[in-house]
Amino acid sequence: MKVGVVPGSFDPVTLGHLDIIERGSKLVEKLVVGVLSNSAKGPMFSVAQRVELLEKATSHLDNVVVIPFEGLLVDFLKEQQAQAVIRGLRAVTDFEYELQLAQANRSLYPDMETVFLTTNVQYSYISSTIVKDVLKYGGDISHFVPAAVIDMIYHFRR
Ligand code: ADP
């Protein structure tokens, strides 16, 4: 079975993430959304909250599961018996880091591939950081996050 992993912090999930997950889910039989529980980044939402948001946002996708992980991505891939990592590319600024990551991962685990999906232009400016900034100052996040999770995000922030 072809299994793919979309790894990330998803703090919180955005329309850009959901677009990559939806498109990625058509390329594999099973898609695992791997939620980094690494707290070094000082996330706004706990890993349990980020998982819950992603589960709600992806509930219409039959072959998608959401699983938290920590440690090396290649170890998580092996654990999930996944052959490919699927990542979104927003702009050239993403490219250098993503290239390094893909090459480092392949040297750790030569049997894996990284697949890049280019962002849909209408989402290219959206990031979790922007959502968090808008939230901090009480702005409207409805243009940035999936409709199904807007209320849950406001609830978690209370
Ligand atoms: P990380 O902490 O690994 O950068 P993120 O949660 O920010 O994790 O992103 C997870 C994945 O989603 C990455 O591949 C990232 O490039 C991609 N991504 C984030 N925002 C967008 C967007 N607006 N359009 C397309 N891909 C995106």
Side-chain angles (χ1 to χ4, degrees):
M1 180 157 79
K2 286 268 180 266
V3 180
V5 169
V6 175
S9 310
F10 307 103
D11 184 42
V13 59
T14 67
L15 286 170
H17 294 137
L18 185 59
D19 180 53
I20 297 299
I21 294 168
E22 281 174 347
R23 288 159 58 202
S25 72
K26 295 181 191 146
L27 302 177
V28 290
E29 284 157 84
K30 178 180 167 190
L31 187 74
V32 178
V33 180
V35 184
L36 255 178
S37 68
N38 180 354
S39 62
K41 264 192 171 178
M44 176 179 270
F45 298 92
S46 71
V47 69
Q49 290 174 333
R50 286 181 274 142
V51 167
E52 204 177 324
L53 290 168
L54 276 159
E55 279 175 344
K56 181 107 194 254
T58 61
S59 61
H60 59 299
L61 301 168
D62 291 341
N63 64 337
V64 173
V65 294
V66 183
I67 300 178
F69 78 101
E70 50 192 340
L72 284 178
L73 178 59
V74 291
D75 292 335
F76 183 62
L77 284 180
K78 289 176 192 168
E79 214 177 277
Q80 297 300 320
Q81 299 182 327
Q83 301 80 16
V85 170
I86 299 172
R87 297 279 290 173
L89 278 184
R90 277 167 289 192
V92 275
T93 44
D94 280 342
F95 181 75
E96 196 162 335
Y97 171 70
E98 291 293 339
L99 186 69
Q100 278 180 1
L101 202 66
Q103 287 170 339
N105 283 334
R106 252 179 78 77
S107 77
L108 291 167
Y109 182 20
D111 286 342
M112 65 153 300
E113 293 294 347
T114 301
V115 177
F116 294 107
L117 300 182
T118 52
T119 180
N120 260 325
V121 281
Q122 78 258 41
Y123 303 135
S124 60
Y125 67 96
I126 299 178
S127 67
S128 295
T129 306
I130 285 178
V131 174
K132 283 182 278 194
D133 284 345
V134 174
L135 271 174
K136 268 182 209 150
Y137 299 107
D140 176 10
I141 57 167
S142 62
H143 294 287
F144 309 130
V145 304
V149 299
I150 296 173
D151 288 347
M152 204 188 267
I153 289 178
Y154 285 125
H155 175 73
F156 286 153
R157 282 293 288 157
R158 247 182 259 133

Short mmCIF file of all heavy atoms in Angstrom, two decimals, residues 13-59:
data_model
loop_
_atom_site.label_atom_id
_atom_site.label_comp_id
_atom_site.label_asym_id
_atom_site.label_seq_id
_atom_site.Cartn_x
_atom_site.Cartn_y
_atom_site.Cartn_z
N VAL A 13 -3.99 24.60 11.81
CA VAL A 13 -4.20 24.22 10.40
C VAL A 13 -4.76 25.42 9.63
O VAL A 13 -5.58 26.18 10.15
CB VAL A 13 -5.14 22.99 10.30
CG1 VAL A 13 -6.50 23.25 10.92
CG2 VAL A 13 -5.30 22.54 8.85
N THR A 14 -4.28 25.60 8.39
CA THR A 14 -4.76 26.70 7.54
C THR A 14 -5.37 26.14 6.25
O THR A 14 -5.27 24.94 5.98
CB THR A 14 -3.59 27.62 7.13
OG1 THR A 14 -2.72 26.86 6.26
CG2 THR A 14 -2.82 28.14 8.32
N LEU A 15 -5.95 27.03 5.46
CA LEU A 15 -6.48 26.61 4.15
C LEU A 15 -5.36 26.11 3.24
O LEU A 15 -5.58 25.23 2.41
CB LEU A 15 -7.20 27.79 3.49
CG LEU A 15 -8.57 28.14 4.09
CD1 LEU A 15 -9.06 29.47 3.53
CD2 LEU A 15 -9.59 27.04 3.81
N GLY A 16 -4.16 26.67 3.41
CA GLY A 16 -3.00 26.22 2.62
C GLY A 16 -2.66 24.77 2.96
O GLY A 16 -2.43 23.95 2.07
N HIS A 17 -2.63 24.45 4.27
CA HIS A 17 -2.37 23.06 4.68
C HIS A 17 -3.44 22.12 4.12
O HIS A 17 -3.13 21.06 3.59
CB HIS A 17 -2.43 22.92 6.21
CG HIS A 17 -1.34 23.63 6.96
ND1 HIS A 17 -1.57 24.34 8.10
CD2 HIS A 17 0.00 23.73 6.72
CE1 HIS A 17 -0.44 24.84 8.55
NE2 HIS A 17 0.53 24.49 7.73
N LEU A 18 -4.71 22.53 4.28
CA LEU A 18 -5.80 21.65 3.85
C LEU A 18 -5.72 21.37 2.35
O LEU A 18 -5.98 20.25 1.91
CB LEU A 18 -7.16 22.28 4.23
CG LEU A 18 -8.37 21.39 3.94
CD1 LEU A 18 -8.28 20.07 4.69
CD2 LEU A 18 -9.68 22.11 4.31
N ASP A 19 -5.34 22.39 1.59
CA ASP A 19 -5.20 22.21 0.14
C ASP A 19 -4.14 21.14 -0.18
O ASP A 19 -4.36 20.26 -1.02
CB ASP A 19 -4.83 23.57 -0.48
CG ASP A 19 -4.65 23.49 -1.98
OD1 ASP A 19 -5.57 22.99 -2.65
OD2 ASP A 19 -3.59 23.92 -2.47
N ILE A 20 -3.01 21.22 0.52
CA ILE A 20 -1.93 20.23 0.29
C ILE A 20 -2.41 18.83 0.73
O ILE A 20 -2.16 17.83 0.06
CB ILE A 20 -0.64 20.63 1.07
CG1 ILE A 20 -0.08 21.96 0.55
CG2 ILE A 20 0.42 19.53 1.01
CD1 ILE A 20 0.33 21.98 -0.90
N ILE A 21 -3.13 18.76 1.84
CA ILE A 21 -3.62 17.47 2.34
C ILE A 21 -4.64 16.87 1.36
O ILE A 21 -4.57 15.68 1.02
CB ILE A 21 -4.23 17.63 3.75
CG1 ILE A 21 -3.14 18.01 4.76
CG2 ILE A 21 -4.96 16.35 4.19
CD1 ILE A 21 -3.67 18.48 6.12
N GLU A 22 -5.56 17.71 0.88
CA GLU A 22 -6.58 17.20 -0.06
C GLU A 22 -5.93 16.70 -1.35
O GLU A 22 -6.23 15.61 -1.84
CB GLU A 22 -7.59 18.31 -0.40
CG GLU A 22 -8.63 18.51 0.69
CD GLU A 22 -9.55 19.70 0.45
OE1 GLU A 22 -9.25 20.54 -0.44
OE2 GLU A 22 -10.56 19.78 1.16
N ARG A 23 -5.01 17.49 -1.88
CA ARG A 23 -4.36 17.08 -3.13
C ARG A 23 -3.45 15.88 -2.90
O ARG A 23 -3.39 14.95 -3.72
CB ARG A 23 -3.61 18.26 -3.73
CG ARG A 23 -4.58 19.31 -4.30
CD ARG A 23 -3.96 20.68 -4.43
NE ARG A 23 -2.77 20.68 -5.26
CZ ARG A 23 -1.82 21.64 -5.18
NH1 ARG A 23 -1.92 22.63 -4.33
NH2 ARG A 23 -0.79 21.59 -5.98
N GLY A 24 -2.74 15.87 -1.77
CA GLY A 24 -1.86 14.75 -1.45
C GLY A 24 -2.63 13.46 -1.28
O GLY A 24 -2.16 12.39 -1.66
N SER A 25 -3.83 13.56 -0.73
CA SER A 25 -4.62 12.35 -0.45
C SER A 25 -5.02 11.62 -1.72
O SER A 25 -5.34 10.44 -1.70
CB SER A 25 -5.86 12.67 0.39
OG SER A 25 -6.81 13.36 -0.39
N LYS A 26 -4.99 12.34 -2.85
CA LYS A 26 -5.34 11.70 -4.13
C LYS A 26 -4.15 10.95 -4.74
O LYS A 26 -4.30 10.21 -5.70
CB LYS A 26 -5.83 12.75 -5.13
CG LYS A 26 -7.12 13.40 -4.68
CD LYS A 26 -7.60 14.42 -5.69
CE LYS A 26 -8.72 15.25 -5.10
NZ LYS A 26 -8.70 16.62 -5.57
N LEU A 27 -2.96 11.18 -4.20
CA LEU A 27 -1.75 10.58 -4.78
C LEU A 27 -1.38 9.26 -4.13
O LEU A 27 -0.54 8.53 -4.64
CB LEU A 27 -0.56 11.54 -4.63
CG LEU A 27 -0.71 12.92 -5.25
CD1 LEU A 27 0.52 13.77 -4.95
CD2 LEU A 27 -0.91 12.81 -6.76
N VAL A 28 -1.95 8.99 -2.94
CA VAL A 28 -1.57 7.78 -2.20
C VAL A 28 -2.84 7.05 -1.73
O VAL A 28 -3.93 7.61 -1.77
CB VAL A 28 -0.71 8.14 -0.96
CG1 VAL A 28 0.67 8.63 -1.36
CG2 VAL A 28 -1.41 9.18 -0.09
N GLU A 29 -2.63 5.81 -1.29
CA GLU A 29 -3.81 5.07 -0.78
C GLU A 29 -4.17 5.54 0.63
O GLU A 29 -5.34 5.60 0.99
CB GLU A 29 -3.51 3.57 -0.77
CG GLU A 29 -3.58 2.98 -2.18
CD GLU A 29 -2.78 1.71 -2.28
OE1 GLU A 29 -3.32 0.65 -1.93
OE2 GLU A 29 -1.61 1.77 -2.71
N LYS A 30 -3.13 5.85 1.41
CA LYS A 30 -3.39 6.35 2.76
C LYS A 30 -2.47 7.54 3.02
O LYS A 30 -1.27 7.48 2.71
CB LYS A 30 -3.09 5.23 3.77
CG LYS A 30 -3.28 5.64 5.22
CD LYS A 30 -2.96 4.46 6.14
CE LYS A 30 -2.83 4.89 7.58
NZ LYS A 30 -2.30 3.80 8.41
N LEU A 31 -3.05 8.60 3.57
CA LEU A 31 -2.24 9.79 3.88
C LEU A 31 -2.26 10.02 5.39
O LEU A 31 -3.32 10.13 6.00
CB LEU A 31 -2.79 11.02 3.16
CG LEU A 31 -1.90 12.25 3.30
CD1 LEU A 31 -0.66 12.12 2.43
CD2 LEU A 31 -2.65 13.52 2.92
N VAL A 32 -1.05 10.08 5.95
CA VAL A 32 -0.92 10.33 7.39
C VAL A 32 -0.49 11.79 7.57
O VAL A 32 0.54 12.20 7.04
CB VAL A 32 0.15 9.40 8.02
CG1 VAL A 32 0.31 9.69 9.50
CG2 VAL A 32 -0.20 7.93 7.78
N VAL A 33 -1.29 12.56 8.30
CA VAL A 33 -0.88 13.91 8.65
C VAL A 33 -0.12 13.79 9.97
O VAL A 33 -0.70 13.40 10.99
CB VAL A 33 -2.08 14.86 8.80
CG1 VAL A 33 -1.61 16.27 9.16
CG2 VAL A 33 -2.91 14.88 7.51
N GLY A 34 1.18 14.06 9.94
CA GLY A 34 2.03 13.91 11.13
C GLY A 34 2.16 15.25 11.83
O GLY A 34 2.67 16.21 11.25
N VAL A 35 1.69 15.31 13.07
CA VAL A 35 1.70 16.58 13.80
C VAL A 35 2.86 16.59 14.78
O VAL A 35 2.91 15.79 15.72
CB VAL A 35 0.37 16.76 14.58
CG1 VAL A 35 0.34 18.12 15.25
CG2 VAL A 35 -0.83 16.59 13.64
N LEU A 36 3.81 17.48 14.54
CA LEU A 36 5.01 17.56 15.37
C LEU A 36 4.66 18.00 16.78
O LEU A 36 4.17 19.11 16.97
CB LEU A 36 5.96 18.60 14.78
CG LEU A 36 7.17 18.09 14.04
CD1 LEU A 36 7.94 19.26 13.47
CD2 LEU A 36 8.07 17.26 14.95
N SER A 37 4.94 17.15 17.75
CA SER A 37 4.58 17.52 19.10
C SER A 37 5.75 18.21 19.82
O SER A 37 5.65 18.57 20.97
CB SER A 37 4.09 16.31 19.89
OG SER A 37 5.16 15.43 20.10
N ASN A 38 6.82 18.40 19.09
CA ASN A 38 8.00 19.14 19.53
C ASN A 38 7.61 20.55 20.03
O ASN A 38 7.15 21.37 19.25
CB ASN A 38 8.89 19.24 18.29
CG ASN A 38 10.17 19.97 18.56
OD1 ASN A 38 10.34 20.50 19.64
ND2 ASN A 38 11.04 19.99 17.57
N SER A 39 7.82 20.79 21.33
CA SER A 39 7.34 22.07 21.86
C SER A 39 8.38 23.18 21.77
O SER A 39 8.16 24.28 22.24
CB SER A 39 6.87 21.90 23.30
OG SER A 39 7.97 21.47 24.07
N ALA A 40 9.55 22.90 21.16
CA ALA A 40 10.62 23.90 21.06
C ALA A 40 10.15 25.17 20.36
O ALA A 40 10.63 26.26 20.65
CB ALA A 40 11.83 23.30 20.35
N LYS A 41 9.20 25.02 19.44
CA LYS A 41 8.72 26.18 18.69
C LYS A 41 7.75 27.03 19.51
O LYS A 41 7.31 28.08 19.04
CB LYS A 41 8.00 25.72 17.41
CG LYS A 41 8.87 25.71 16.16
CD LYS A 41 7.99 25.53 14.93
CE LYS A 41 8.76 25.73 13.63
NZ LYS A 41 7.88 25.50 12.47
N GLY A 42 7.39 26.55 20.72
CA GLY A 42 6.45 27.28 21.56
C GLY A 42 5.11 27.48 20.89
O GLY A 42 4.69 28.61 20.62
N PRO A 43 4.40 26.38 20.58
CA PRO A 43 3.15 26.50 19.84
C PRO A 43 2.05 27.22 20.63
O PRO A 43 2.06 27.21 21.86
CB PRO A 43 2.75 25.05 19.57
CG PRO A 43 3.46 24.24 20.59
CD PRO A 43 4.72 24.98 20.92
N MET A 44 1.12 27.85 19.91
CA MET A 44 -0.02 28.51 20.54
C MET A 44 -1.06 27.46 20.96
O MET A 44 -1.72 27.60 21.97
CB MET A 44 -0.65 29.49 19.54
CG MET A 44 -1.92 30.17 20.04
SD MET A 44 -2.60 31.35 18.84
CE MET A 44 -1.77 32.85 19.30
N PHE A 45 -1.16 26.37 20.17
CA PHE A 45 -2.14 25.32 20.44
C PHE A 45 -1.41 24.04 20.86
O PHE A 45 -0.36 23.72 20.31
CB PHE A 45 -3.00 25.05 19.20
CG PHE A 45 -3.79 26.26 18.77
CD1 PHE A 45 -3.28 27.15 17.84
CD2 PHE A 45 -5.03 26.52 19.34
CE1 PHE A 45 -3.98 28.29 17.47
CE2 PHE A 45 -5.75 27.65 18.98
CZ PHE A 45 -5.23 28.54 18.05
N SER A 46 -1.98 23.32 21.83
CA SER A 46 -1.35 22.08 22.28
C SER A 46 -1.42 21.05 21.15
O SER A 46 -2.22 21.20 20.22
CB SER A 46 -2.08 21.53 23.51
OG SER A 46 -3.35 21.03 23.13
N VAL A 47 -0.62 20.01 21.27
CA VAL A 47 -0.64 18.99 20.22
C VAL A 47 -2.02 18.34 20.13
O VAL A 47 -2.53 18.08 19.03
CB VAL A 47 0.52 17.97 20.38
CG1 VAL A 47 0.32 17.10 21.58
CG2 VAL A 47 0.66 17.13 19.13
N ALA A 48 -2.68 18.14 21.27
CA ALA A 48 -4.03 17.53 21.25
C ALA A 48 -5.01 18.45 20.53
O ALA A 48 -5.87 17.97 19.76
CB ALA A 48 -4.49 17.26 22.68
N GLN A 49 -4.90 19.74 20.75
CA GLN A 49 -5.78 20.70 20.06
C GLN A 49 -5.49 20.74 18.56
O GLN A 49 -6.41 20.75 17.74
CB GLN A 49 -5.60 22.11 20.65
CG GLN A 49 -6.15 22.24 22.06
CD GLN A 49 -5.84 23.59 22.69
OE1 GLN A 49 -4.84 24.24 22.36
NE2 GLN A 49 -6.68 24.01 23.62
N ARG A 50 -4.21 20.71 18.20
CA ARG A 50 -3.85 20.75 16.77
C ARG A 50 -4.35 19.49 16.06
O ARG A 50 -4.82 19.56 14.92
CB ARG A 50 -2.33 20.91 16.63
CG ARG A 50 -1.88 22.33 16.95
CD ARG A 50 -0.39 22.51 16.80
NE ARG A 50 0.34 22.15 17.99
CZ ARG A 50 1.52 21.54 18.02
NH1 ARG A 50 2.12 21.21 16.90
NH2 ARG A 50 2.12 21.26 19.15
N VAL A 51 -4.26 18.34 16.76
CA VAL A 51 -4.76 17.09 16.18
C VAL A 51 -6.28 17.17 15.99
O VAL A 51 -6.81 16.82 14.94
CB VAL A 51 -4.37 15.88 17.06
CG1 VAL A 51 -5.14 14.63 16.67
CG2 VAL A 51 -2.86 15.62 16.98
N GLU A 52 -6.98 17.69 17.01
CA GLU A 52 -8.44 17.78 16.95
C GLU A 52 -8.88 18.70 15.80
O GLU A 52 -9.83 18.39 15.07
CB GLU A 52 -8.96 18.30 18.29
CG GLU A 52 -10.39 17.90 18.58
CD GLU A 52 -10.87 18.35 19.96
OE1 GLU A 52 -10.06 18.34 20.91
OE2 GLU A 52 -12.06 18.70 20.07
N LEU A 53 -8.19 19.82 15.65
CA LEU A 53 -8.51 20.75 14.56
C LEU A 53 -8.32 20.08 13.20
O LEU A 53 -9.16 20.18 12.30
CB LEU A 53 -7.63 22.01 14.64
CG LEU A 53 -7.91 22.96 15.81
CD1 LEU A 53 -6.79 23.98 15.95
CD2 LEU A 53 -9.25 23.67 15.61
N LEU A 54 -7.21 19.35 13.06
CA LEU A 54 -6.93 18.68 11.79
C LEU A 54 -7.94 17.57 11.51
O LEU A 54 -8.36 17.37 10.37
CB LEU A 54 -5.51 18.10 11.80
CG LEU A 54 -4.41 19.08 11.41
CD1 LEU A 54 -3.06 18.59 11.93
CD2 LEU A 54 -4.34 19.28 9.90
N GLU A 55 -8.32 16.85 12.56
CA GLU A 55 -9.31 15.76 12.36
C GLU A 55 -10.63 16.33 11.86
O GLU A 55 -11.24 15.78 10.95
CB GLU A 55 -9.50 14.98 13.67
CG GLU A 55 -8.38 13.96 13.85
CD GLU A 55 -8.43 13.22 15.17
OE1 GLU A 55 -9.13 13.68 16.10
OE2 GLU A 55 -7.72 12.19 15.27
N LYS A 56 -11.03 17.45 12.43
CA LYS A 56 -12.29 18.07 12.00
C LYS A 56 -12.15 18.59 10.56
O LYS A 56 -13.03 18.38 9.72
CB LYS A 56 -12.62 19.21 12.98
CG LYS A 56 -13.88 19.96 12.72
CD LYS A 56 -14.96 19.61 13.75
CE LYS A 56 -16.33 20.09 13.34
NZ LYS A 56 -16.79 21.25 14.09
N ALA A 57 -11.03 19.24 10.28
CA ALA A 57 -10.83 19.85 8.96
C ALA A 57 -10.72 18.80 7.85
O ALA A 57 -11.00 19.09 6.69
CB ALA A 57 -9.58 20.73 8.97
N THR A 58 -10.30 17.57 8.21
CA THR A 58 -10.10 16.53 7.18
C THR A 58 -11.16 15.43 7.26
O THR A 58 -10.99 14.37 6.65
CB THR A 58 -8.70 15.89 7.31
OG1 THR A 58 -8.59 15.27 8.61
CG2 THR A 58 -7.58 16.89 7.15
N SER A 59 -12.23 15.66 8.01
CA SER A 59 -13.21 14.58 8.25
C SER A 59 -13.89 14.12 6.95
O SER A 59 -14.45 13.03 6.90
CB SER A 59 -14.24 14.99 9.30
OG SER A 59 -14.94 16.11 8.83
#
